[in-house]
Amino acid sequence: MREMILQTSVKVYTYDEFSAEDRQLIDAARKATERSYAPYSKFNVGAAVRLVDGTVVTGNNQENAAYPSGLCAERTTLFWANAQYPDVAVDTIVIAARSEGGELQVPIPPCGACRQVILEVEKRYNRTIRIVLYGKRECYVIEDGIKALLPLCFDSDFLE
């Protein structure tokens, strides 16, 4: 027997420690939470991606009374970006959330389905995506791409 140790590096920032360019992207994700459709959970999530050419695309969660029919902010944003800019890779994704009490103090991570979609986008463009998770008190930055949050992941390599 042998043991594998999987490690993830997460950098913790405050909003003010980000560059102006990053703060603009974070603000776009925060603003996207205000346009989310979450009448059931009252949990509003927004996402913003910056493409490698500088284009910014935003999206948010969209709920449905038949819960499985809704869609998370991350997937809404990435699917829109891939549909409108199919030849432009994603550089950074920011995820922000708020509840009825306002913006969350600590960041939320993407769900498993969203992690899988981020993996597919990285694979599609052969490029890791920088992940920024926003919270009012602190923000988490994962520079190493989604595999840091989805170790032992399943991708198209297994289908060959």
Side-chain angles (χ1 to χ4, degrees):
M1 183 199 74
R2 66 185 180 95
E3 179 180 5
M4 295 188 319
I5 297 174
L6 306 172
Q7 296 182 336
T8 297
S9 175
V10 177
K11 295 179 181 175
V12 181
Y13 289 80
T14 63
Y15 176 82
D16 294 334
E17 293 177 304
F18 285 99
S19 68
E21 182 182 47
D22 280 342
R23 284 194 308 270
Q24 287 177 330
L25 192 62
I26 291 167
D27 291 344
R30 292 169 65 196
K31 185 77 171 164
T33 67
E34 298 170 10
R35 297 186 306 272
S36 115
Y37 180 70
Y40 308 105
S41 71
K42 309 285 192 247
F43 193 75
N44 305 90
V45 182
V49 297
R50 180 176 44 241
L51 305 180
V52 294
D53 69 359
T55 300
V56 172
V57 176
T58 63
N60 45 51
N61 60 320
Q62 300 293 311
E63 291 183 349
N64 189 292
Y67 279 114
S69 300
L71 197 60
C72 298
E74 299 91 315
R75 286 181 279 158
T76 300
T77 306
L78 289 168
F79 292 157
W80 175 254
N82 290 170
Q84 297 303 309
Y85 305 96
D87 299 322
V88 186
V90 175
D91 177 69
T92 301
I93 185 168
V94 176
I95 304 161
R98 65 180 171 82
S99 64
E100 290 182 294
E103 290 183 322
L104 302 183
Q105 294 295 313
V106 294
I108 61 160
C111 74
C114 289
R115 292 176 196 213
Q116 188 68 37
V117 168
I118 294 168
L119 175 68
E120 188 72 19
V121 174
E122 285 186 348
K123 185 92 171 165
R124 177 180 182 172
Y125 296 106
N126 194 30
R127 178 187 174 92
T128 60
I129 297 173
R130 181 172 168 253
I131 302 163
V132 178
L133 308 175
Y134 170 79
K136 280 179 75 170
R137 185 175 63 229
E138 61 188 20
C139 303
Y140 302 157
V141 177
I142 298 93
E143 302 280 353
D144 299 329
I146 198 61
K147 288 182 180 179
L149 297 180
L150 189 65
L152 300 176
C153 54
F154 177 84
D155 67 18
S156 61
D157 290 345
F158 292 100
L159 301 175
E160 296 174 1

